Amino acid sequence: MQITDLNLVDQVQQVMKINQRQFCDWKYTIPSPKTYPYQWLWDSCFHAIIYTRLGQLNLAKAELRSLVSAQWSNGMIPHMIYWQPSTISIFPDINWGSRKTSSITQPPVLASAVYTIYEADGDVNFVREMLPKIEKFHNYLLRFRDPRGNHLIGVINPDESGEDNSPRFDEALGLPPQHDFQDNFRQRLKLVSDYRQNRFVIKDAMDKEHWVRDVPINCILIENLRFQAHMYKICGQISKQRQTISIRKAMIQAMRSNLLRNKIFWSSVGLGYRPINVKTWAIFMPLYARIATRSEAEAAISYLIDKGEFNTTFGVPTVALSEPSFSPDGDWRGDDWAGTNWRGPVWIGPNWFIVKGLQNYGYTRLANHIIENSLALISLSGFREYYNPLNGEGHGADNFTWPGLVLDMLA
Ligand code: GLC
């Protein structure tokens, strides 16, 4: 498919502009003016990709430079950077126990963002500048989110997955499939305070119970290790390239040994890899990571095209229709922030990963269908955080940047 709608490009440009911010020399983009007035990790990687497609390579690079400037000395890139206070925000004050940034991370999409920029302008120096930061971040994940060397990383808080209240985490949080969003948020805040009180050391309860080996973040790391290896090659660092390829292979093997059941990869909880059999869009992520065999890819596709599971009027819901946790809307009511809804609505970020995965395996018609649905949602309801998959209504944050990823899907 091709971009034929110039109006769409203008609209993306306008939303990005509304969200641009500067602090001293640091330029960054917030995801949404009222709801998310700070810099977020995977959002910024998406932004860099969107800027690249808009031909604004300087902004793409500035976005990532600001992001990595907040990297901790142990290699972690925090999922939020509070460059400057916001006066209009409805985002709650959270005591992360660290100054100016949060103390947890988010999915490592950085290498793919850097590679997208490199493909557009061939700037090897930018790759050389970013590679050490990427390496340090991936090494942090491999060391501190996989302390026993099992080759699978865990998330210690659902927010690290980027899918804050996904039902994949219900069991770990001790919540039933249907519960109040506030209860979910309270449990996640408790994890933040436990982690802070433990001085960022992962202690027993978190390790044993909340240690969720989540499929999407592992798939994202696997694919981003592939980008990392490729960029080492571009820079002539062949032994590092080889090392990265072998880490990636070990991760793929661990995914197959521990998470694969009946041709589908399921996230797991606890040290014994107890499978979490909740059907979410995570089912499609092994295609993004290129780790599914043809018959495993077909098993995932059978869920994608099933009208009782993920095949809805407006595309791929984040949770299957047949799940008791499925909840298609999501604007919270009342004064207190309860966060977002990852329990059913369509999000354009997940659509982007799914489209890439389908394209990897040659399912072009299905990929185009998701792109068309994404475009239909934007034209019906604008640049929203998420959409009801049944009627296309927009919910959550407004002037939200992620829908701009359609430009990359069309590239
Ligand atoms: C919400 C989303 C998260 C995103 C953040 C900023 O918390 O769940 O994935 O990074 O908003 O957009």
Side-chain angles (χ1 to χ4, degrees):
M1 286 176 87
Q2 283 188 334
I3 305 175
T4 47
D5 187 354
L6 286 179
N7 191 19
L8 174 70
V9 177
D10 284 350
Q11 283 177 41
V12 173
Q13 189 132 24
Q14 200 187 335
V15 172
M16 297 308 283
K17 217 166 181 178
I18 291 173
N19 287 301
Q20 273 155 25
R21 298 289 181 274
Q22 180 153 3
F23 178 74
C24 301
D25 286 338
W26 300 107
K27 289 189 177 144
Y28 62 98
T29 311
I30 61 174
S32 160
K34 269 204 206 129
T35 318
Y36 299 115
Y38 310 108
Q39 183 170 17
W40 264 263
L41 196 170
W42 74 339
D43 300 65
S44 274
C45 300
F46 296 155
H47 297 161
I49 293 168
I50 297 168
Y51 282 130
T52 304
R53 296 303 169 217
L54 288 170
Q56 297 175 316
L57 288 146
N58 285 340
L59 287 178
K61 290 175 190 171
E63 182 87 13
L64 297 184
R65 285 189 173 116
S66 305
L67 178 68
V68 300
S69 76
Q71 186 165 37
W72 286 20
S73 57
N74 65 4
M76 187 190 75
I77 304 185
H79 91 305
M80 287 178 67
I81 309 169
Y82 294 86
W83 287 107
Q84 41 204 336
S86 162
T87 46
I88 53 152
S89 160
I90 57 167
F91 197 83
D93 249 345
I94 298 175
N95 182 358
W96 298 104
S98 51
R99 277 193 65 240
K100 292 251 174 196
T101 74
S102 70
S103 50
I104 59 169
T105 190
Q106 247 184 354
V109 201
L110 179 60
S112 72
V114 172
Y115 189 70
T116 304
I117 296 173
Y118 168 75
E119 264 190 325
D121 72 357
D123 180 357
V124 187
N125 285 336
F126 184 66
V127 174
R128 284 214 177 89
E129 177 187 336
M130 299 305 280
L131 255 179
K133 324 270 182 195
I134 293 169
E135 180 186 313
K136 229 175 140 188
F137 181 34
H138 289 173
N139 286 348
Y140 167 83
L141 293 171
L142 293 163
R143 182 162 168 224
F144 291 98
R145 292 294 183 269
D146 178 27
R148 293 181 182 80
N150 291 335
H151 308 296
L152 283 178
I153 61 166
V155 293
I156 57 163
N157 186 317
D159 295 55
E160 289 203 311
S161 74
E163 296 174 69
D164 312 350
N165 72 341
S166 166
R168 289 200 307 280
F169 306 108
D170 287 355
E171 187 186 334
L173 293 179
L175 292 167
Q178 282 173 6
H179 57 258
D180 197 299
F181 282 20
Q182 290 287 355
D183 290 342
N184 190 297
F185 188 47
R186 258 193 295 277
Q187 295 290 77
R188 283 154 39 217
L189 284 181
K190 186 163 177 319
L191 288 171
V192 171
S193 74
D194 287 354
Y195 193 43
R196 186 184 68 234
Q197 278 155 23
N198 288 335
R199 296 175 176 270
F200 311 135
V201 175
I202 293 154
K203 284 275 167 59
D204 288 357
M206 220 177 231
D207 186 358
K208 292 206 179 80
E209 287 311 319
H210 199 74
W211 200 262
V212 176
R213 262 81 184 181
D214 204 27
V215 166
I217 200 169
N218 279 285
C219 286
I220 291 170
L221 181 55
I222 286 171
E223 179 62 352
N224 277 265
L225 284 167
R226 195 180 69 82
F227 283 113
Q228 183 187 344
H230 193 60
M231 290 191 285
Y232 280 137
K233 184 172 171 214
I234 290 165
C235 295
Q237 292 177 262
I238 302 305
S239 73
K240 286 211 170 187
Q241 180 203 7
R242 283 207 199 103
Q243 224 179 327
T244 311
I245 290 172
S246 76
I247 297 171
R248 178 173 179 272
K249 278 197 183 138
M251 284 193 74
I252 295 172
Q253 191 46 51
M255 293 247 343
R256 302 197 70 79
S257 314
N258 300 302
L259 306 185
L260 188 60
R261 293 212 175 39
N262 295 331
K263 300 195 174 175
I264 298 291
F265 291 83
W266 301 99
S267 300
S268 77
V269 61
L271 294 175
Y273 297 109
R274 210 161 58 247
I276 302 169
N277 291 313
V278 184
K279 284 164 283 169
T280 69
W281 70 284
I283 287 177
F284 313 114
M285 280 304 273
L287 279 74
Y288 168 78
R290 303 159 197 259
I291 64 171
T293 61
R294 181 55 60 182
S295 81
E296 287 155 9
E298 275 165 20
I301 298 298
S302 70
Y303 281 104
L304 188 70
I305 59 179
D306 185 335
K307 289 220 153 91
E309 302 288 6
F310 292 94
N311 184 0
T312 74
T313 318
F314 287 95
V316 194
T318 37
V319 173
L321 301 180
S322 67
E323 286 293 339
S325 54
F326 176 73
S327 153
D329 291 321
D331 283 334
W332 51 91
R333 284 161 196 91
D335 296 333
D336 286 338
W337 165 271
T340 73
N341 184 9
W342 283 93
R343 306 176 75 84
V346 175
W347 288 65
I348 304 297
N351 273 3
W352 178 80
F353 287 107
I354 299 168
V355 164
K356 298 245 161 219
L358 292 171
Q359 289 170 342
N360 287 342
Y361 283 73
Y363 294 109
T364 315
R365 202 176 49 79
L366 285 172
N368 286 348
H369 187 58
I370 296 175
I371 300 174
E372 277 156 18
N373 274 330
S374 308
L375 292 169
L377 286 168
I378 296 170
S379 83
L380 185 72
S381 300
F383 284 66
R384 297 301 299 265
E385 190 177 5
Y386 47 87
Y387 307 87
N388 180 317
L390 309 174
N391 61 20
E393 259 176 28
H395 290 277
D398 211 346
N399 280 314
F400 192 61
T401 50
W402 295 18
L405 282 172
V406 288
L407 297 186
D408 190 63
M409 297 185 206
L410 291 164

Short mmCIF file of all heavy atoms in Angstrom, two decimals, residues 31 36 40 42-43 91 106 159 162-164 337 340 342 347 385 400 402, ligand 1:
data_model
loop_
_atom_site.label_atom_id
_atom_site.label_comp_id
_atom_site.label_asym_id
_atom_site.label_seq_id
_atom_site.Cartn_x
_atom_site.Cartn_y
_atom_site.Cartn_z
N PRO A 31 3.34 12.23 24.37
CA PRO A 31 2.33 11.47 23.62
C PRO A 31 0.98 12.18 23.47
O PRO A 31 0.27 11.98 22.51
CB PRO A 31 2.18 10.19 24.44
CG PRO A 31 3.42 10.11 25.29
CD PRO A 31 3.81 11.52 25.58
N TYR A 36 -0.65 12.85 28.82
CA TYR A 36 0.73 12.33 28.97
C TYR A 36 1.76 13.42 28.68
O TYR A 36 2.36 13.44 27.61
CB TYR A 36 0.94 11.14 28.03
CG TYR A 36 0.00 9.99 28.32
CD1 TYR A 36 -0.95 9.59 27.38
CD2 TYR A 36 0.06 9.30 29.53
CE1 TYR A 36 -1.82 8.55 27.64
CE2 TYR A 36 -0.81 8.25 29.80
CZ TYR A 36 -1.73 7.88 28.86
OH TYR A 36 -2.60 6.85 29.12
N TRP A 40 8.05 9.49 27.17
CA TRP A 40 7.93 8.05 27.45
C TRP A 40 8.83 7.26 26.51
O TRP A 40 9.03 7.66 25.36
CB TRP A 40 6.48 7.57 27.25
CG TRP A 40 5.65 7.50 28.49
CD1 TRP A 40 5.41 6.40 29.26
CD2 TRP A 40 4.91 8.56 29.11
NE1 TRP A 40 4.58 6.71 30.31
CE2 TRP A 40 4.26 8.03 30.25
CE3 TRP A 40 4.75 9.93 28.83
CZ2 TRP A 40 3.44 8.80 31.08
CZ3 TRP A 40 3.94 10.69 29.66
CH2 TRP A 40 3.31 10.13 30.77
N TRP A 42 8.90 3.88 24.93
CA TRP A 42 8.57 3.30 23.63
C TRP A 42 7.82 4.29 22.76
O TRP A 42 7.94 4.25 21.54
CB TRP A 42 7.95 1.91 23.72
CG TRP A 42 6.54 1.69 24.17
CD1 TRP A 42 5.77 2.53 24.90
CD2 TRP A 42 5.75 0.51 23.90
NE1 TRP A 42 4.55 1.94 25.13
CE2 TRP A 42 4.50 0.71 24.53
CE3 TRP A 42 5.95 -0.68 23.23
CZ2 TRP A 42 3.48 -0.24 24.48
CZ3 TRP A 42 4.94 -1.62 23.18
CH2 TRP A 42 3.72 -1.40 23.80
N ASP A 43 7.12 5.24 23.40
CA ASP A 43 6.48 6.30 22.60
C ASP A 43 7.54 7.05 21.79
O ASP A 43 7.33 7.36 20.62
CB ASP A 43 5.77 7.30 23.51
CG ASP A 43 4.68 6.67 24.36
OD1 ASP A 43 5.01 5.84 25.22
OD2 ASP A 43 3.49 6.98 24.16
N PHE A 91 -2.27 13.52 34.74
CA PHE A 91 -1.44 12.37 35.10
C PHE A 91 -1.06 12.46 36.58
O PHE A 91 -0.63 13.51 37.06
CB PHE A 91 -0.18 12.33 34.23
CG PHE A 91 0.49 10.99 34.26
CD1 PHE A 91 0.06 9.97 33.44
CD2 PHE A 91 1.54 10.74 35.14
CE1 PHE A 91 0.66 8.71 33.49
CE2 PHE A 91 2.13 9.49 35.20
CZ PHE A 91 1.70 8.47 34.36
N GLN A 106 10.52 0.02 29.85
CA GLN A 106 9.46 -0.28 28.88
C GLN A 106 10.09 -1.05 27.70
O GLN A 106 11.31 -1.15 27.61
CB GLN A 106 8.84 1.03 28.36
CG GLN A 106 7.41 1.24 28.76
CD GLN A 106 6.79 2.49 28.14
OE1 GLN A 106 7.45 3.29 27.48
NE2 GLN A 106 5.50 2.66 28.37
N ASP A 159 3.34 -2.21 33.96
CA ASP A 159 3.64 -1.00 33.18
C ASP A 159 4.92 -1.16 32.35
O ASP A 159 5.11 -0.46 31.36
CB ASP A 159 3.76 0.22 34.10
CG ASP A 159 2.43 0.52 34.77
OD1 ASP A 159 1.87 -0.40 35.41
OD2 ASP A 159 1.94 1.65 34.63
N GLY A 162 4.31 -1.95 28.84
CA GLY A 162 3.64 -0.91 28.05
C GLY A 162 2.14 -1.11 28.01
O GLY A 162 1.40 -0.26 27.54
N GLU A 163 1.66 -2.25 28.51
CA GLU A 163 0.22 -2.56 28.49
C GLU A 163 -0.30 -2.61 29.92
O GLU A 163 -0.63 -3.68 30.44
CB GLU A 163 -0.02 -3.91 27.82
CG GLU A 163 0.36 -3.97 26.37
CD GLU A 163 0.22 -5.39 25.86
OE1 GLU A 163 -0.91 -5.88 25.76
OE2 GLU A 163 1.25 -6.02 25.59
N ASP A 164 -0.36 -1.44 30.51
CA ASP A 164 -0.51 -1.30 31.95
C ASP A 164 -1.51 -2.26 32.62
O ASP A 164 -1.20 -2.89 33.60
CB ASP A 164 -0.92 0.15 32.28
CG ASP A 164 -0.04 1.15 31.55
OD1 ASP A 164 0.98 0.74 30.96
OD2 ASP A 164 -0.36 2.35 31.55
N TRP A 337 -7.43 9.18 38.60
CA TRP A 337 -6.82 8.54 37.45
C TRP A 337 -6.81 7.03 37.66
O TRP A 337 -6.42 6.52 38.70
CB TRP A 337 -5.38 9.05 37.31
CG TRP A 337 -4.52 8.24 36.41
CD1 TRP A 337 -3.76 7.17 36.76
CD2 TRP A 337 -4.33 8.42 35.02
NE1 TRP A 337 -3.10 6.70 35.66
CE2 TRP A 337 -3.43 7.46 34.57
CE3 TRP A 337 -4.83 9.34 34.08
CZ2 TRP A 337 -3.02 7.35 33.25
CZ3 TRP A 337 -4.42 9.23 32.77
CH2 TRP A 337 -3.51 8.25 32.37
N THR A 340 -5.24 3.50 31.64
CA THR A 340 -5.71 3.27 30.28
C THR A 340 -6.45 1.94 30.20
O THR A 340 -6.58 1.24 31.19
CB THR A 340 -4.50 3.16 29.35
OG1 THR A 340 -3.91 1.90 29.61
CG2 THR A 340 -3.48 4.22 29.62
N TRP A 342 -6.19 -1.57 28.33
CA TRP A 342 -5.54 -2.58 27.47
C TRP A 342 -6.32 -3.88 27.51
O TRP A 342 -5.76 -4.96 27.34
CB TRP A 342 -4.09 -2.81 27.92
CG TRP A 342 -3.15 -1.72 27.51
CD1 TRP A 342 -2.79 -0.63 28.25
CD2 TRP A 342 -2.43 -1.62 26.28
NE1 TRP A 342 -1.91 0.15 27.55
CE2 TRP A 342 -1.66 -0.44 26.33
CE3 TRP A 342 -2.34 -2.41 25.12
CZ2 TRP A 342 -0.82 -0.04 25.29
CZ3 TRP A 342 -1.52 -2.01 24.09
CH2 TRP A 342 -0.77 -0.84 24.17
N TRP A 347 -5.42 -0.59 19.70
CA TRP A 347 -4.39 0.45 19.84
C TRP A 347 -3.56 0.42 18.54
O TRP A 347 -3.27 -0.66 18.01
CB TRP A 347 -3.45 0.14 21.01
CG TRP A 347 -4.02 0.32 22.39
CD1 TRP A 347 -5.03 -0.38 22.96
CD2 TRP A 347 -3.57 1.26 23.39
NE1 TRP A 347 -5.24 0.04 24.25
CE2 TRP A 347 -4.37 1.05 24.53
CE3 TRP A 347 -2.58 2.24 23.42
CZ2 TRP A 347 -4.19 1.80 25.71
CZ3 TRP A 347 -2.40 2.98 24.59
CH2 TRP A 347 -3.21 2.77 25.72
N GLU A 385 -6.07 7.63 21.81
CA GLU A 385 -5.19 6.65 22.43
C GLU A 385 -5.61 5.22 22.05
O GLU A 385 -4.77 4.38 21.74
CB GLU A 385 -5.25 6.83 23.95
CG GLU A 385 -4.22 6.04 24.72
CD GLU A 385 -4.30 6.32 26.22
OE1 GLU A 385 -5.22 7.05 26.64
OE2 GLU A 385 -3.45 5.80 26.96
N PHE A 400 -3.30 12.13 20.35
CA PHE A 400 -2.34 11.10 20.74
C PHE A 400 -1.46 10.78 19.53
O PHE A 400 -1.95 10.67 18.41
CB PHE A 400 -3.12 9.85 21.20
CG PHE A 400 -2.28 8.82 21.90
CD1 PHE A 400 -1.63 9.11 23.08
CD2 PHE A 400 -2.18 7.53 21.39
CE1 PHE A 400 -0.88 8.14 23.74
CE2 PHE A 400 -1.44 6.56 22.05
CZ PHE A 400 -0.78 6.87 23.22
N TRP A 402 0.51 8.05 18.62
CA TRP A 402 0.73 6.72 18.03
C TRP A 402 0.05 6.49 16.69
O TRP A 402 0.61 5.77 15.84
CB TRP A 402 0.30 5.60 18.98
CG TRP A 402 1.08 5.47 20.26
CD1 TRP A 402 1.90 6.40 20.84
CD2 TRP A 402 1.08 4.35 21.13
NE1 TRP A 402 2.39 5.92 22.03
CE2 TRP A 402 1.90 4.67 22.23
CE3 TRP A 402 0.46 3.11 21.11
CZ2 TRP A 402 2.13 3.79 23.28
CZ3 TRP A 402 0.68 2.22 22.16
CH2 TRP A 402 1.52 2.56 23.23
C1 GLC B 1 0.00 4.54 28.80
C2 GLC B 1 0.32 3.32 27.95
C3 GLC B 1 1.80 3.20 27.72
C4 GLC B 1 2.33 4.49 27.12
C5 GLC B 1 1.93 5.70 27.97
C6 GLC B 1 2.24 7.02 27.26
O1 GLC B 1 0.50 4.40 30.08
O2 GLC B 1 -0.20 2.18 28.56
O3 GLC B 1 2.09 2.13 26.87
O4 GLC B 1 3.69 4.44 26.97
O5 GLC B 1 0.54 5.69 28.20
O6 GLC B 1 1.61 7.08 26.03
#
